[in-house]
C-alpha cells in the first residue's frame, strides 16, 4: 500500500496521462471477479450440455438393454419355465445393470481424470503456467459416480420389467427347426 501510494505520487507529474496504479492483490482480485462473472454466464450453458449428454447416454443405454433383452428372450423364458419369478428375473437384469453402471462409472472417472490431467499439462506447457495438483474433490468424484450409476439404473428399469414379464411359453413358441440345410455337394462329398 505504501509502495502504491509512492508510485502514484511519483507519476502525478507526468504529461497528463491517466495511469491507474494498483497493487498485485487488487489486480488479482479484479481478475478473479472478471473470471467468476464469465463462469457465472458459462456455467448454465455447460450444465445444459451436461444434462443433454446424460439424457442421450441414458437413451443409448435404454436401447442397448432393450435389444439385449429381446435377443435373450429364450434364456429369460427358460428361467421363467424352470420356476424363476418375474421379480427374480427383473432383479437379475437390474443387477447386470448395476455391474455395467459401476464398471462404466469407474472407467469414465479414470478417462475424465486422464483428460483433465493431460489438458492441464498441455496448457501449463503452452502458456508457461506453474504446474500444480489437479483439483478434483471427492464431491465431484461421488457426484460423477452417482450420475453414471443412477442414469444406467434408470435407463434399465423398463427393459428389466419387460424381461421379467417374459412368458415361459415364449421359449416354446420361438423354437423352430432349422431347415436351411441343403443336400448339396458338401453332403455327398463327406
Amino acid at each position: 500500500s505504501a509502495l502504491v501510494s509512492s508510485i502514484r505520487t511519483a507519476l502525478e507529474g507526468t504529461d497528463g496521462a491517466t495511469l491507474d496504479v494498483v497493487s498485485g492483490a487488487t489486480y488479482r482480485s479484479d481478475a478473479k471477479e472478471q473470471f467468476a462473472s464469465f463462469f457465472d454466464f458459462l456455467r448454465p450453458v455447460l450444465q445444459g450440455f451436461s444434462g443433454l449428454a446424460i439424457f442421450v447416454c441414458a437413451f443409448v443405454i435404454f436401447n442397448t438393454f432393450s435389444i439385449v433383452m429381446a435377443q435373450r428372450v429364450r434364456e429369460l423364458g427358460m428361467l421363467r419355465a424352470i420356476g424363476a419369478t418375474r421379480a427374480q428375473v427383473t432383479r437379475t437384469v437390474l443387477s447386470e445393470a448395476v455391474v455395467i453402471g459401476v464398471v462404466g462409472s469407474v472407467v469414465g472417472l479414470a478417462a475424465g481424470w486422464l483428460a483433465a490431467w493431460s489438458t492441464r499439462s498441455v496448457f501449463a506447457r503452452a502458456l508457461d503456467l506453474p504446474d500444480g495438483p489437479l483439483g478434483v474433490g471427492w464431491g465431484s468424484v461421488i457426484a460423477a459416480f452417482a450420475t453414471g450409476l443412477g442414469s444406467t439404473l434408470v435407463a434399465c428399469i423398463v427393459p428389466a420389467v419387460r424381461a421379467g414379464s417374459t412368458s415361459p411359453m415364449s421359449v416354446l413358441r420361438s423354437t423352430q427347426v432349422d431347415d436351411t440345410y441343403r443336400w448339396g455337394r458338401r453332403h455327398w462329398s463327406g
Side-chain angles (χ1 to χ4, degrees), residues 1-188:
S1 178
L3 178 62
V4 171
S5 62
S6 67
I7 292 174
R8 277 190 188 140
T9 56
L11 292 176
E12 282 179 2
T14 57
D15 301 326
T18 37
L19 298 174
D20 190 19
V21 180
V22 294
S23 67
T26 305
Y27 178 76
R28 280 192 300 273
S29 70
D30 289 345
K32 189 175 182 181
E33 286 175 16
Q34 288 176 352
F35 194 70
S37 68
F38 173 72
F39 272 104
D40 286 343
F41 163 74
L42 191 62
R43 182 173 286 124
V45 173
L46 292 176
Q47 287 173 339
F49 281 124
S50 297
L52 182 64
I54 291 169
F55 175 76
V56 168
C57 289
F59 187 71
V60 168
I61 292 168
F62 170 79
N63 282 338
T64 302
F65 257 83
S66 294
I67 291 168
V68 168
M69 292 305 118
Q71 290 175 345
R72 291 176 50 193
V73 70
R74 293 183 68 187
E75 175 188 337
L76 299 170
M78 188 64 72
L79 285 173
R80 293 290 313 278
I82 62 173
T85 65
R86 289 179 181 212
Q88 287 173 330
V89 173
T90 302
R91 279 194 305 265
T92 301
V93 173
L94 286 177
S95 64
E96 291 175 15
V98 167
V99 169
I100 290 171
V102 167
V103 170
S105 295
V106 168
V107 169
L109 282 168
W113 183 86
L114 183 63
W117 179 80
S118 61
T119 302
R120 185 202 58 190
S121 296
V122 166
F123 279 115
R125 287 190 185 121
L127 301 175
D128 197 28
L129 298 174
D131 197 25
L134 189 60
V136 179
W138 282 106
S140 299
V141 171
I142 291 170
F145 190 83
T147 302
L149 182 59
S151 63
T152 302
L153 283 176
V154 168
C156 291
I157 288 174
V158 172
V161 170
R162 284 184 193 160
S165 64
T166 302
S167 168
M169 295 303 293
S170 64
V171 175
L172 300 175
R173 278 193 300 257
S174 66
T175 303
Q176 297 177 0
V177 176
D178 184 17
D179 59 355
T180 59
Y181 181 74
R182 294 190 173 87
W183 293 82
R185 275 192 317 225
R186 289 183 15 196
H187 175 72
W188 296 110

